[in-house]
C-alpha cells in the first residue's frame, strides 16, 4: 500500500521496537503535514482572510514537519520527533504572543493546539522530555504580561491553567503508558527469550516431542519430522495414532482410554511416511499447555537397540553354557538362562523353586569336592574343579563352573554370578587325544623295534642261508637229511619274507621319506608279477590267466612299492586257491579316470563278517588259520597301505566256497 510505503522506516533499524516507533512517528508527522496542506487548500478556496504572520507560521510549520517526517524514517527518528514538537511549540508560542497583542479573545486557540501537540508527542517521545517542554511553555505563558503591553496575568490564567492541567494529565498518562509499555516489552522480551530457549532445547533434543490434545497433534519438534518423514503442516492437526503401525494401534488406543495424568512408558512401532517400520520407546504424561491440560509424548528410536537386545537374548537363550545369578543373602536364584534345561534336564523354574537343586544334581562322589570349592570362593577362587552331575534322565555329564562374586561396601559377598559349561565331550576328546598319543608312542616304539629287529636278524639269516648251502654240499645223498634241509630252507625263506614285510611296513608309516613316484605302466608291472608267480602256480596246478588293458595304464607311483602291493594280492590269491583252481588278473581303464586291477580266484572265500578286517595288520581269517598256507597277516595290510599312499582304493568281494575278487583302483596320469 502507498501509506505503508510512505511510512516504512529505513532498513538500518533492525529491532522491532525501533521500527514500530519510527513508523508511528512518520505516520503522525505525515498525517500532520497532510492536514496542514489540506487546511491551506480549504482556506485558499473559501478565501479565509489571514494575516501575513499566520501565513508565515503556517509555512514554517509545514516545512518543519516535512523535515521531521524525513528524519522519522531514518535512525534519527527520535531527534526528528523532538525537533518537530519543539519548533511547533515555539511557533505556537509566537502565535500566542501575536494573538495576545492583536486578538486577546482568541488567545486560548494556540494553547489548545499546544495541548494537542503535547498529547501527540507523548505517544512517541519520553514523558520526561514532554515535562521539560511543558514547563518551558508554561513559563513562557507566565511571562506574556511582561512582553505584551496591557496584557494582565488574568488574561493568560485560563491558557496557563489549561496548558498545565492538560499537560499534567497527558504527561501522567504518557508516564503510565511508558511504564506499561516498558513492562510489556520486558515481559515480551522475557517471553520471547523463554520461548526461544525452550524451542532451542526442544529442537536440540535427541528425542522426538509431540504435544497433543486427545490425540490431535498441536505441536512437534524437528526430530519428529526427521523420524516420521512428514512435514510440519502435515503433522499439525493429525491424529497421533495415525503415525503408529496398524498392528500396533490397539495398544495405543488402550492408553488413550486411560487418559491418566501419570507418566506412561511403553514400546510401539512407528510407521514412516514411506512405509518402513521403526521401533520406538514412548514416554507420555499430562502437562499444561496454553492454559489447558494436554499430553506430551517423547519418542526415542530403539530399532538398533531392540535388535541388539533381541540378538543378545537369542544368544543368551541359545548358548550351550548356563548363566546364573545367585543371591548370597537370602540363598535364592535370581536369574538363570534357559540353557539349564538342556544341560541339567530341569527347567529354570526348578532352580527358582529349590535353590538346593545344585547339590541334588551333583554326583554323590563329587558332592564333597563341589562343596569345598564353593567355600573357597570367599578366598578368591573363581574356577571350580570339574565335577559330575546326574541329569534328570540319569545321564552323567561333566561340568565346569566359573564363579564371580559381587561384594557390598563392607566387602561381604551379596551375589554370585556364574557360568556353567558342559565339558563332557571335551574331556572325552582329551582322553582320546591321550590315547592317540600313547598309541602313536607305541607305534613309534614298535616301528623302531621292527626296524632294529629286522636289521639285527638279517645277519643270522644270512648265516643260516650260508650254513644250509654248505650242509647241502657236504651232506651225503640221504633222502631224510635232504628233507630236513628243505624244511629249514623253506622256513628260513619264510622268516626272511616276514622280516622284509615288517621292514616295509615300518617304512610305510613315514611314506614321505621313502616313496618316490614316477610315471609307470600298470600293465608292465602286472606282467612282471605274473612272470614271477608262474612257477608257483604251476607247482599248485593253478591256472593263472592275465588279461592286460588294451592301452598302457599310466599312473604316478613308486614302482618298487607298487610291485610289492600288487604282488601280495596275487600271492594271496594263489595261496588260498586249492589245486585245480584258477586265478584271473584283469587290467582295465575305468570311466572315473582310474586304472583298475581285478584279481579273481576260486579259493575258499571269506565270510562277509571278516571282510572289514582282512586288511588289518596280522589278521588271518579262521579258515586261513586252520591251514598251513599264508604268512603272518601282513600281505593285504601292506597292499592297502601302499595303495592308499598312491591315492587309490582296494576292495574285496567274496563268496565262501566260491572265491574272492580284489579290485585295486589307482588314479591315471592325465594326458
Amino acid at each position: 500500500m502507498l501509506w505503508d510505503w510512505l511510512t516504512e522506516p529505513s532498513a538500518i533499524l533492525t529491532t522491532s521496537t525501533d521500527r514500530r516507533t519510527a513508523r508511528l512517528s512518520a505516520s503522525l508527522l505525515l498525517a500532520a503535514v497532510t492536514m496542514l496542506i489540506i487546511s491551506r487548500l480549504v482556506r485558499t478556496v473559501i478565501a479565509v482572510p489571514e494575516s501575513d504572520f499566520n501565513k508565515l507560521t503556517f509555512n514554517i510549520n509545514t516545512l518543519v514537519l516535512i523535515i521531521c517526517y524525513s528524519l522519522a524514517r531514518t535512525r534519527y527518528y527520535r531527534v526528528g520527533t523532538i525537533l518537530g514538537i519543539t519548533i511547533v511549540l515555539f511557533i505556537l508560542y509566537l502565535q500566542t504572543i501575536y494573538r495576545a497583542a492583536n486578538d486577546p479573545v482568541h488567545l486560548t486557540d494556540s494553547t489548545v493546539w499546544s495541548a494537542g501537540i503535547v498529547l501527540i508527542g507523548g505517544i512517541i517521545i519520553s514523558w520526561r522530555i514532554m515535562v521539560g517542554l511543558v514547563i518551558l511553555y508554561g513559563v513562557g505563558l507566565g511571562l506574556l504580561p511582561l512582553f505584551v503591553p496591557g496584557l494582565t496575568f488574568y488574561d493568560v490564567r485560563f491558557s496557563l491553567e489549561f496548558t498545565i492541567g492538560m499537560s499534567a494529565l497527558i504527561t501522567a498518562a504518557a508516564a503510565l503508558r511508558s511504564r506499561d509499555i516498558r513492562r510489556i516489552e520486558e515481559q515480551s522480551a522475557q517471553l520471547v527469550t523463554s520461548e526461544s530457549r525452550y524451542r532451542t532445547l526442544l529442537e536440540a533434543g535427541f528425542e522426538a516431542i509431540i504435544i497433543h490434545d486427545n490425540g490431535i497433534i498441536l505441536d512437534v519438534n524437528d526430530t519428529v519430522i526427521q523420524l516420521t518423514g512428514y512435514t510440519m503442516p502435515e503433522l499439525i492437526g493429525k491424529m497421533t495414532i495415525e503415525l503408529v503401525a496398524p498392528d500396533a494401534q490397539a495398544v495405543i488406543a488402550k492408553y488413550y482410554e486411560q487418559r491418566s495424568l501419570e507418566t506412561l512408558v511403553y514400546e510401539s512401532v512407528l510407521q514412516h511416511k514411506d512405509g518402513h517400520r521403526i521401533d520406538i520407546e514412548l514416554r507420555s504424561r499430562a502437562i499444561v499447555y496454553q492454559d489447558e491440560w494436554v499430553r506430551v509424548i517423547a519418542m526415542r528410536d530403539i530399532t538398533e537397540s531392540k535388535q541388539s537386545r533381541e540378538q543378545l537374548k537369542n544368544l543368551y537363550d541359545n548358548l550351550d553354557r548356563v548363566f546364573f545369578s545367585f543371591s548370597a543373602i537370602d540363598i535364592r536364584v535370581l536369574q538363570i538362562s534357559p540353557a539349564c534345561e538342556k544341560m541339567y534336564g530341569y527347567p529354570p523354574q526348578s532352580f527358582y523353586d529349590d535353590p538346593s537343586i545344585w547339590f541334588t544334581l551333583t554326583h554323590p562322589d563329587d558332592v564333597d569336592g563341589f562343596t569345598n570349592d564353593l567355600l573357597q570362593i570367599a578366598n578368591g577362587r573363581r574356577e571350580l574343579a570339574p565335577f559330575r552331575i546326574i541329569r534328570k534322565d540319569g545321564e552323567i555329564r561333566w561340568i565346569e563352573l566359573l564363579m564371580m562374586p559381587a561384594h557390598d561396601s563392607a566387602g561381604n559377598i551379596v551375589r554370585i554370578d556364574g557360568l556353567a559349561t558342559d565339558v563332557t565331550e571335551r574331556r572325552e576328546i582329551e582322553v582320546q587325544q591321550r590315547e592317540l598319543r600313547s598309541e602313536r608312542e607305541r607305534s613309534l616304539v614298535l616301528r623302531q623295534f621292527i626296524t632294529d629287529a629286522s636289521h639285527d636278524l638279517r645277519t643270522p639269516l644270512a648265516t643260516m642261508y650260508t650254513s644250509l648251502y654248505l650242509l647241502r654240499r657236504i651232506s651225503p645223498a640221504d633222502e631224510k637229511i635232504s628233507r630236513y634241509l628243505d624244511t629249514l630252507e623253506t622256513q628260513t625263506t619264510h622268516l626272511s619274507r616276514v622280516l622284509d614285510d615288517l621292514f616295509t611296513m615300518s617304512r610305510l608309516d613315514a611314506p614321505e621319506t621313502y616313496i618316490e613316484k614316477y610315471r609307470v605302466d600298470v600293465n608292465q608291472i602286472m606282467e612282471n608279477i605274473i612272470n614271477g608267480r608262474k612257477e608257483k602256480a604251476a607247482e599248485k596246478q593253478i591256472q593263472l590267466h592275465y588279461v592286460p588293458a588294451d592301452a598302457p595304464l599310466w599312473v604316478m607311483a613308486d614302482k618298487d612299492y607298487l610291485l610289492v602291493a600288487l604282488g601280495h594280492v596275487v600271492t594271496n590269491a594263489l595261496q588260498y586257491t586249492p589245486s585245480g583252481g584258477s586265478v584271473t588278473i584283469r587290467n582295465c581303464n575305468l570311466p572315473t579316470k582310474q586304472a583298475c586291477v581285478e584279481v579273481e580266484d576260486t579259493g575258499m572265500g571269506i565270510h562277509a563278517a571278516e571282510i572289514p578286517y582282512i586288511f588289518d595288520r596280522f589278521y588271518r581269517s579262521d579258515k586261513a588259520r586252520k591251514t598251513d598256507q599264508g604268512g603272518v597277516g601282513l600281505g593285504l595290510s601292506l597292499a592297502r597301505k601302499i595303495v592308499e599312499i598312491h591315492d587309490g582304493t582296494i576292495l574285496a568281494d567274496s563268496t565262501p566256497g566260491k572265491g574272492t575278487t580284489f579290485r585295486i583302483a589307482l588314479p591315471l596320469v592325465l594326458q
Side-chain angles (χ1 to χ4, degrees):
M1 294 178 61
L2 179 61
W3 185 264
D4 293 335
W5 179 76
L6 292 173
T7 58
E8 181 66 21
S10 172
I12 298 177
L13 300 175
T14 56
T15 64
S16 58
T17 302
D18 288 342
R19 294 185 66 84
R20 185 173 59 252
T21 306
R23 184 179 292 106
L24 177 61
S25 177
S27 298
L28 292 174
L29 291 170
L30 181 60
V33 171
T34 303
M35 290 176 61
L36 287 176
I37 294 175
I38 293 174
S39 174
R40 170 55 58 192
L41 292 175
V42 171
R43 288 176 177 270
T44 303
V45 171
I46 61 177
V48 176
E50 285 186 289
S51 63
D52 293 337
F53 179 78
N54 286 336
K55 292 180 180 179
L56 177 63
T57 56
F58 176 86
N59 293 333
I60 293 174
N61 279 336
T62 303
L63 179 62
V64 168
L65 289 178
I66 291 174
I67 295 173
C68 292
Y69 160 73
S70 300
L71 291 174
R73 298 184 62 186
T74 68
R75 61 181 176 178
Y76 303 108
Y77 67 93
R78 294 186 185 276
V79 175
T81 303
I82 295 172
L83 179 64
I85 292 175
T86 302
I87 293 176
V88 170
L89 284 176
F90 179 73
I91 293 174
L92 288 175
Y93 181 71
L94 293 178
Q95 288 181 342
T96 302
I97 296 175
Y98 177 79
R99 288 182 181 277
N102 299 285
D103 190 11
V105 177
H106 297 91
L107 183 64
T108 58
D109 291 350
S110 299
T111 304
V112 173
W113 279 107
S114 64
I117 294 299
V118 171
L119 177 62
I120 296 173
I123 298 175
I124 301 173
I125 63 176
S126 170
W127 64 272
R128 293 180 179 84
I129 296 176
M130 291 305 305
V131 168
L133 292 175
V134 168
I135 290 173
L136 288 176
Y137 190 78
V139 171
L141 287 176
L143 295 177
L144 278 177
L146 299 178
F147 301 143
V148 179
L151 187 67
T152 63
F153 182 78
Y154 182 80
D155 295 329
V156 299
R157 177 181 60 82
F158 177 78
S159 297
L160 186 62
E161 291 176 353
F162 180 81
T163 300
I164 293 174
M166 290 298 297
S167 299
L169 291 175
I170 294 171
T171 303
L176 293 175
R177 178 180 174 277
S178 176
R179 185 191 65 180
D180 292 340
I181 291 174
R182 187 169 60 253
R183 184 181 302 165
I184 291 172
E185 289 178 349
E186 290 175 355
Q187 291 176 351
S188 299
Q190 292 176 357
L191 183 61
V192 170
T193 302
S194 178
E195 183 179 356
S196 175
R197 181 165 62 89
Y198 282 110
R199 173 57 66 176
T200 301
L201 292 175
L202 185 66
E203 299 299 341
F206 293 103
E207 291 187 337
I209 306 298
I210 295 178
I211 299 175
H212 71 90
D213 182 13
N214 197 26
I216 301 176
I217 297 177
L218 303 177
D219 198 0
V220 299
N221 65 350
D222 288 343
T223 308
V224 177
I225 298 173
Q226 299 171 4
L227 189 63
T228 62
Y230 291 98
T231 62
M232 179 72 76
E234 290 175 331
L235 287 169
I236 301 302
K238 193 181 189 70
M239 294 294 294
T240 56
I241 200 169
E242 295 179 23
L243 302 177
V244 180
D247 56 336
Q249 292 183 359
V251 177
I252 304 296
K254 180 184 69 174
Y255 288 113
Y256 280 162
E257 294 174 358
Q258 293 180 0
R259 296 188 60 80
S260 172
L261 297 180
E262 299 178 357
T263 301
L264 301 175
V265 181
Y266 53 96
E267 293 184 2
S268 187
V269 181
L270 196 71
Q271 185 160 315
H272 194 272
K273 185 179 180 180
D274 61 12
H276 78 269
R277 297 161 64 91
I278 305 170
D279 292 311
I280 55 172
E281 179 188 73
L282 297 95
R283 286 181 171 83
S284 174
R285 68 183 182 90
I287 63 169
V288 176
Y289 178 78
Q290 296 181 353
D291 299 328
E292 293 184 3
W293 281 100
V294 296
R295 293 199 71 86
V296 61
I297 298 175
M299 298 187 300
R300 183 168 59 92
D301 187 346
I302 60 170
T303 303
E304 293 183 1
S305 63
K306 188 173 182 179
Q307 291 175 352
S308 300
R309 191 165 66 239
E310 290 176 352
Q311 292 174 354
L312 184 61
K313 184 179 184 301
N314 290 334
L315 180 66
Y316 179 77
D317 293 343
N318 297 323
L319 273 181
D320 292 335
R321 296 183 176 185
V322 175
F323 298 89
F324 63 88
S325 184
F326 191 84
S327 173
I329 299 176
D330 51 1
I331 315 300
R332 64 187 178 89
V333 176
L334 301 174
Q335 188 176 13
I336 188 167
S337 63
C340 65
E341 188 165 3
K342 181 179 180 181
M343 182 178 293
Y344 294 101
Y346 291 89
Q349 194 59 44
S350 299
F351 293 84
Y352 294 125
D353 296 339
D354 182 15
S356 63
I357 193 173
W358 302 95
F359 297 94
T360 305
L361 288 168
T362 305
H363 194 282
D365 295 341
D366 296 342
V367 170
D368 292 339
F370 175 66
T371 304
N372 292 333
D373 287 349
L374 285 178
L375 295 176
Q376 295 300 318
I377 294 176
N379 299 327
R381 182 159 186 172
R382 297 293 180 268
E383 294 185 7
L384 276 64
F387 61 95
R388 290 167 293 177
I389 64 166
I390 303 176
R391 285 169 44 90
K392 188 177 182 179
D393 57 9
E395 182 183 0
I396 297 176
R397 308 290 292 180
W398 282 92
I399 302 296
E400 276 187 356
L401 279 182
L402 176 64
M403 313 289 272
M404 296 295 294
H407 302 81
D408 59 12
S409 57
N412 300 316
I413 297 177
V414 295
R415 192 185 73 254
I416 297 176
D417 299 323
L419 176 65
T421 306
D422 188 334
V423 296
T424 306
E425 284 76 14
R426 191 179 73 189
R427 289 179 66 88
E428 291 176 353
I429 292 173
E430 290 174 352
V431 171
Q432 293 174 359
Q433 289 176 342
R434 286 196 297 268
E435 293 177 350
L436 184 60
R437 285 195 296 269
S438 300
E439 181 65 26
R440 187 180 296 112
E441 292 173 358
R442 287 194 298 269
S443 177
L444 290 173
V445 171
L446 180 59
R447 187 171 65 190
Q448 187 63 41
F449 168 75
I450 292 173
T451 302
D452 295 342
S454 299
H455 181 270
D456 294 340
L457 289 174
R458 288 189 183 279
T459 300
L461 283 172
T463 302
M464 291 172 65
Y465 274 120
T466 303
S467 299
L468 286 171
Y469 173 75
L470 293 175
L471 284 172
R472 284 188 181 278
R473 290 182 62 86
I474 64 176
S475 62
D478 186 284
E479 183 179 351
K480 188 175 181 180
I481 292 175
S482 179
R483 188 169 63 251
Y484 288 148
L485 290 175
D486 290 341
T487 301
L488 286 172
E489 187 174 353
T490 300
Q491 295 302 320
T492 302
T493 303
H494 176 68
L495 180 59
S496 178
R497 188 170 63 250
V498 170
L499 287 176
D500 288 339
D501 289 345
L502 288 172
F503 190 69
T504 302
M505 182 63 75
S506 69
R507 284 191 168 194
L508 291 176
D509 287 334
E512 65 278 356
T513 305
Y514 303 104
I515 299 295
E516 295 182 2
K517 296 180 180 181
Y518 299 95
R519 190 168 176 264
V520 296
D521 182 13
V522 175
N523 284 337
Q524 185 62 47
I525 291 176
M526 286 308 302
E527 287 180 6
N528 295 338
I529 293 172
I530 296 298
N531 292 333
R533 303 299 191 277
K534 284 181 178 180
E535 184 178 349
K536 184 175 181 180
E539 290 177 359
K540 293 188 66 176
Q541 298 180 355
I542 296 174
Q543 296 182 9
L544 186 59
H545 304 288
Y546 174 52
V547 182
D550 297 335
L553 300 176
W554 297 105
V555 297
M556 291 298 294
D558 188 305
K559 182 178 180 180
D560 295 332
Y561 280 99
L562 194 56
L563 278 167
V564 171
L566 298 178
H568 273 300
V569 176
V570 175
T571 300
N572 185 81
L574 293 172
Q575 285 176 346
Y576 294 105
T577 300
S579 298
S582 65
V583 174
T584 304
I585 297 111
R586 303 181 189 88
N587 293 348
C588 64
N589 189 342
L590 296 178
T592 56
K593 297 182 180 179
Q594 289 179 306
C596 178
V597 177
E598 284 189 358
V599 180
E600 181 181 358
D601 64 56
T602 58
M604 66 180 67
I606 308 169
H607 286 291
E610 292 181 315
I611 288 180
Y613 306 104
I614 62 176
F615 297 105
D616 293 345
R617 296 180 185 183
F618 307 108
Y619 179 82
R620 295 182 69 195
S621 66
D622 292 338
K623 287 184 178 182
R625 292 180 184 277
K626 295 176 182 178
T627 67
D628 294 331
Q629 301 170 344
V632 295
L634 282 174
L636 292 179
S637 179
L638 277 171
R640 183 179 67 173
K641 185 76 173 178
I642 293 171
V643 170
E644 289 179 348
I645 289 172
H646 288 80
D647 301 320
T649 59
I650 180 170
L651 301 173
D653 183 17
S654 181
T655 302
K658 292 185 178 182
T660 304
T661 300
F662 287 90
R663 293 181 179 85
I664 300 97
L666 296 169
L668 288 168
V669 176
L670 298 178
Q671 297 298 326

